[in-house]
Amino acid sequence: MKDTISALLQGALDSLKQQGIVPADLRPDIKVDPTRDKSHGDYATNLALMLAKPARRKPRDLAESLVAALPASNAVSRVEIAGPGFVNFFAATDAAAQVVRQVLDAGDAFGRSLTGQGHKVQVEFVSANPTGPLHVGHGRGAAIGDCICRLLEATGYGVTREFYYNDAGAQITNLALSVQARVKGIDPGEDAWPADGYRGGYIIDVANAYLAGETVDADDRHVTAKGDPDDHQAIQEFAVAYLRREQDLDLRAFGVEFDVYFLESSLYEDGKVEATVERLIDAGHTYEAENALWLRTTDFGDDKDRVMRKSDGSYTYFLPDVAYHLDKWQRGFTTVVNEQGADHHSTVTRVRAGLQALELGIPRGWPDYVLHQMVMVTRSGVEVKLSKRAGSYVTIRDLIDEVGCDATRFFLSARKADSQLTFDIDLARSQSNDNPVYYVQYAHARVCSMLRKAESDGMPFAHETAMENLARLEEAQEKALMNRLARYPEVVGRAAGAREPQQVAQYLLDLAADFHTCYNAVKVMVDDSELRNARLALGLATRQVLRNGLDLMGVGAPEEM
């Protein structure tokens, strides 16, 4: 319907150009939006207000000319002018109802498109250090990142999901020292405990597994513990593999999988860090000062230059990040989305500056970033800070165990990434309309229940009868629900383009609200079989779109609740 109205307006605009009412060279962006107040129609446009100044006419006079020039269409029942020059369109019932047919014909494909034309996109998300269980912040990144991937796939992009393991550096050394201390029976608080050691209970699990000679299969590695308390390197290899496996199990429990696991250590082993340094030196954007090697990142928008190689010969953390993203570019990913915590904000400018300094034709502003804010977990109105498993933070597994995967995923991705999030465990567990995921899932289950009742009462859904009588869906609540269904493809496209899964979540809440309102106001199981089947078809279409949207969120669509 929105496309139909846009086409009608374009036809009217062409006519006004021919009449000389508006300049022939005008190419306005015709905007058609759903109205908030249905007494003002189903859709509205401000085109007359946009054209008024260049046409040197009053907006309302121009609106009257636009309406007069609109091509005839059975899709629109009437058109009204409101306020200073808004044009409101009322959709014909038969035209509005055709979305029911479209949804049922398309099924799981409704809302999907080929916009991306198979263009390759890499999405990097989670990318946690393999030093402990995934915390709730990682969980938010996992939920948002996976939803972004699903949205991009739904709009025709070829998506690669990637996890970057920071398996090199001081944090890995501290992990190995912590496990080694536990292996030797040293507890936190004792003099021999590492100064920056990890204290969570999971360290004891790793130490016990190492002493028991267990074997760990994790992604690309197969490690058997030596059990030697003095072999630091063996302990490190086993600990990293053990925790990589634990993180992988966390992610599987969360319904998240990756195509590529990239190791930071491989950048050093393959000489890519050194090659990046040499490239930057050759490009003339480095200098020596204070026994360190610096990069002139100020040439590319940074607030100050950055050290690449410290006086002791070690590299700062942003250099391997530049090398890693160079590797992404060389793998052919001209579009890259990094979903990371807001604490990575300062690295965005540095990494982009480093990539520009390579002078390899990498576009400014590449890669894209989606940064999420922190999550606070509460129970009974009190913040929850501790986990039996991790010791000092709430893990994603804690939340899944408490409220289930569906509620966890929906809650973590239903707010805009750059907004702080309070995860209310009590709300997520409740079976009430205040619980957003329950509210949406219940709408889906309610349709299923309605269809089961029709079957049990000897009045099963008759598709052909329904399709012949869609024009009988005339109630205001039915029309509002159909208009909501029609907006779904646009929501998917907009959410994918903006990398904002919460747009889908909000749409699902609105769709569920429209359905519940319609269900309570309009009786479905009437004696009139033609009307009953048309209304059952509307329910089926709603169920389908709810299922499609929930799938984009990685959330199930239960048939009973």
Side-chain angles (χ1 to χ4, degrees), residues 48-62:
L49 283 77
M50 293 172 57
L51 297 176
K53 187 173 182 179
R56 296 182 180 180
R57 292 174 179 265
K58 294 179 180 179
R60 194 171 179 92
D61 291 345
L62 197 52

Side-chain angles (χ1 to χ4, degrees), residues 406-425:
D406 284 350
T408 303
R409 285 193 61 127
F410 195 95
F411 270 62
L412 291 176
S413 54
R415 290 282 303 277
K416 195 171 182 181
D418 62 5
S419 64
Q420 293 191 357
L421 173 66
T422 297
F423 192 112
D424 185 338
I425 290 177

Side-chain angles (χ1 to χ4, degrees), residues 104-115:
L104 296 183
D105 286 348
D108 293 345
F110 184 75
R112 304 181 77 89
S113 71
L114 299 175
T115 303

Side-chain angles (χ1 to χ4, degrees), residues 97-144:
Q98 291 311 306
V99 70
V100 175
R101 185 191 305 274
Q102 294 166 7
V103 172
L104 296 183
D105 286 348
D108 293 345
F110 184 75
R112 304 181 77 89
S113 71
L114 299 175
T115 303
Q117 300 181 325
H119 179 77
K120 288 174 59 179
V121 179
Q122 187 228 50
V123 183
E124 181 208 334
F125 58 110
V126 183
S127 296
N129 296 338
T131 56
L134 298 176
H135 57 61
V136 67
H138 295 136
R140 190 177 193 191
I144 294 173

Side-chain angles (χ1 to χ4, degrees), residues 361-373:
I362 298 175
R364 294 181 67 87
W366 186 94
D368 296 334
Y369 284 86
V370 175
L371 302 180
H372 66 262
Q373 285 289 343

Side-chain angles (χ1 to χ4, degrees), residues 215-237:
T215 297
V216 172
D217 290 302
D219 305 324
D220 62 340
R221 60 186 66 190
H222 179 85
V223 179
T224 298
K226 291 184 178 180
D228 181 355
D230 295 316
D231 193 334
H232 178 86
Q233 186 59 35
I235 292 173
Q236 178 169 307
E237 290 178 3

Side-chain angles (χ1 to χ4, degrees), residues 361-406:
I362 298 175
R364 294 181 67 87
W366 186 94
D368 296 334
Y369 284 86
V370 175
L371 302 180
H372 66 262
Q373 285 289 343
M374 64 178 289
V375 181
M376 181 174 70
V377 180
T378 64
R379 181 190 282 111
S380 302
V382 179
E383 183 177 359
V384 179
K385 294 184 177 181
L386 302 180
S387 160
K388 292 180 180 179
R389 188 171 176 222
S392 59
Y393 57 85
V394 178
T395 70
I396 187 61
R397 189 82 65 88
D398 292 330
L399 287 184
I400 295 172
D401 290 345
E402 285 271 4
V403 305
C405 181
D406 284 350

